[in-house]
Amino acid sequence: MSAHANNLMKTILVLGIETSCDETAAAVVARGSDGKGRILSNIVRSQFDEHKVYGGVVPEIAARAHTECLDRIVAASLAEAGISLADVSAVAAASGPGLIGGLIVGAITGKALALAGGKPFLAVNHLEAHALTVGLTDALQPPYLMLLVSGGHTQLLFVESVGVYRRLATTIDDALGEAFDKTAKLLGLGMPGGPAVEGAAASGNAARFDLPRPMLGRAEPHFSFAGLKTAVRHAAAKVAPLSHQDVADLCAAFQAAVGASVADRVALAMQTVSDWFPEGARKPFVVAGGVAANKALKAVLAGVAEDHEFSLHVPPPALCTDNGAMIAWAGAERLVNGLTDDFAAPVRPRWPLDPTAQPAQGAGVKA
Ligand code: KG4
Ligand code: ZN
């Protein structure tokens, strides 16, 4: 029996390592022969304190912090799962896209463990891990339409199968999480910006400020958030010095504008892909990435899904933000599909899921 066929027969255990940005994470995930997943351990150490004073993630500090604690976090994830390295079926490490220093730390550690344990190695695309997380949480398999909204990316993808992604849209400037973070910063709120803006918006009046709804009605479902962030800055300057209520109202208005813009873009993509699903089949719509933790956005997207007869799937917040379980799960999915990597697999600071996608007009480096 081939290794590939053998893997399909039994439960596999995958150790996953995530170091692409400012979270050092490791996890062990089990994947049964029925394709269902289970998290045995999932340890995330945020580098929040190391970067706080700089108002953003400092790549060199991130890499050093990963170096200092990754060994311990990997050991803890194995211990919590109640297994040793000998028990895992494979080792997966996020190998891009992300900050190169951190990626090197994670990938080299993953390769060393795989080599020492005589296990297959999987160089996982961090975006693919976000894209496949619903397989772990909801046992949902492709095809599905997906909105990926994180600190570095904002994309609409058609997930055809494991390893096959069609990018339908991307941001032409800032990522949505980045827009939340920059808005938080300019309003004097803490990091990470997304939860801070969401928290402040809860007691705000969105109608007080008339902010633009970027890209509304455009023929292609791309996104843009840089102008919205600038509009918040101008609105804030007009009412400065800002009271607690001013900040709350600005956050609520920002979140409402984001919701309207994203809803319009998603609705367009839903119209486009509706025909790509088999007649009569339920059409799944997945939202993932750190910003998927935002309750206001989730509520708006639930409405859009309802209107277009899609079912909404959003992993729980702890699995939407960066974690090792999503890397382990993507590794497991790749392993059963025979998609292992050799030790020469590079780390890739840029690694688009759809290599055929053309740059969107006006796109910055993140697209
Ligand atoms: O996926 P993620 O953990 O890391 C990246 O791969 O980028 O996403 C982090 C981003 C940050 O920009 C953070 O502010 C945003 O997700 N975020 C949120 C919320 N929680 C995290 N944005 C809006 N509302 C939230 N509740
Ligand atoms: Zn991420």
Side-chain angles (χ1 to χ4, degrees):
M1 189 185 293
S2 73
H4 178 193
N6 194 32
N7 277 329
L8 288 171
M9 302 294 292
K10 57 177 195 203
T11 294
I12 57 169
L13 299 176
V14 177
L15 168 66
I17 295 171
E18 159 60 35
T19 54
S20 66
C21 191
D22 59 342
E23 257 97 30
T24 314
V28 177
V29 161
R31 185 190 187 281
S33 53
D34 57 359
K36 295 219 169 96
R38 196 159 57 89
I39 297 174
L40 302 188
S41 65
N42 189 22
I43 298 176
V44 181
R45 182 195 175 274
S46 165
Q47 299 175 357
F48 181 75
D49 288 339
E50 283 95 325
H51 301 288
K52 194 169 55 180
V53 288
Y54 303 99
V57 178
V58 183
E60 177 66 20
I61 293 175
R64 283 168 190 249
H66 290 307
T67 309
E68 275 161 25
C69 66
L70 183 57
D71 289 6
R72 216 165 4 95
I73 287 173
V74 166
S77 73
L78 290 170
E80 198 175 304
I83 61 166
S84 69
L85 183 60
D87 300 316
V88 306
S89 318
V91 181
S95 300
L99 301 173
I100 191 160
L103 291 170
I104 289 171
V105 175
I108 287 187
T109 303
K111 286 176 186 176
L113 289 166
L115 190 61
K119 312 290 180 183
F121 174 70
L122 300 132
V124 167
N125 182 315
H126 177 96
L127 303 177
E128 175 169 56
H130 277 304
L132 299 178
T133 301
V134 279
L136 174 62
T137 58
D138 296 20
L140 181 70
Q141 289 294 323
Y144 45 82
L145 173 66
M146 161 154 191
L147 173 67
L148 175 62
V149 272
S150 70
H153 294 85
T154 300
Q155 300 188 344
L156 277 160
L157 295 162
F158 186 66
V159 179
E160 280 185 37
S161 58
V162 174
V164 183
Y165 307 91
R166 199 183 308 184
R167 197 201 71 191
L168 306 171
T170 186
T171 178
I172 63 165
D173 41 57
D174 290 355
L176 183 51
E178 189 181 2
F180 267 95
D181 293 337
K182 287 179 175 171
T183 298
K185 201 168 172 181
L186 75 91
L187 295 177
L189 297 171
M191 274 180 62
V197 169
E198 180 171 23
S203 55
N205 169 18
R208 185 173 151 209
F209 295 98
D210 188 21
L211 297 177
R213 268 67 175 141
M215 311 297 268
L216 223 68
R218 294 279 185 100
E220 283 191 314
H222 292 314
F223 301 88
S224 166
F225 298 107
L228 176 58
K229 169 203 67 196
T230 306
V232 174
R233 175 175 288 122
H234 289 152
K238 276 192 198 144
V239 294
L242 299 178
S243 69
H244 197 70
Q245 193 57 48
D246 293 334
V247 171
D249 294 346
L250 282 162
C251 286
F254 169 79
Q255 221 171 234
V258 164
S261 174
V262 173
D264 178 75
R265 316 285 66 213
V266 167
L268 188 58
M270 284 179 171
Q271 284 160 20
T272 306
V273 306
S274 276
D275 299 345
W276 300 354
F277 288 95
E279 188 82 25
R282 78 204 156 95
K283 294 171 285 186
F285 172 54
V286 173
V287 188
V291 188
N294 187 285
K295 292 193 202 69
L297 184 63
K298 243 185 289 189
V300 168
L301 291 173
V304 179
E306 186 66 35
D307 289 350
H308 292 81
E309 295 177 347
F310 277 69
S311 57
L312 179 68
H313 296 263
V314 190
L319 295 176
C320 279
T321 50
D322 292 348
N323 64 86
M326 70 180 194
I327 305 298
W329 177 253
E333 290 285 78
R334 292 185 72 82
L335 183 66
V336 297
N337 282 284
L339 300 170
T340 56
D341 296 279
D342 64 33
F343 292 126
V347 294
R348 302 169 68 174
R350 279 174 58 70
W351 189 358
L353 276 182
D354 178 357
T356 68
Q358 298 299 312
Q361 214 183 3
V365 286
K366 299 175 207 84

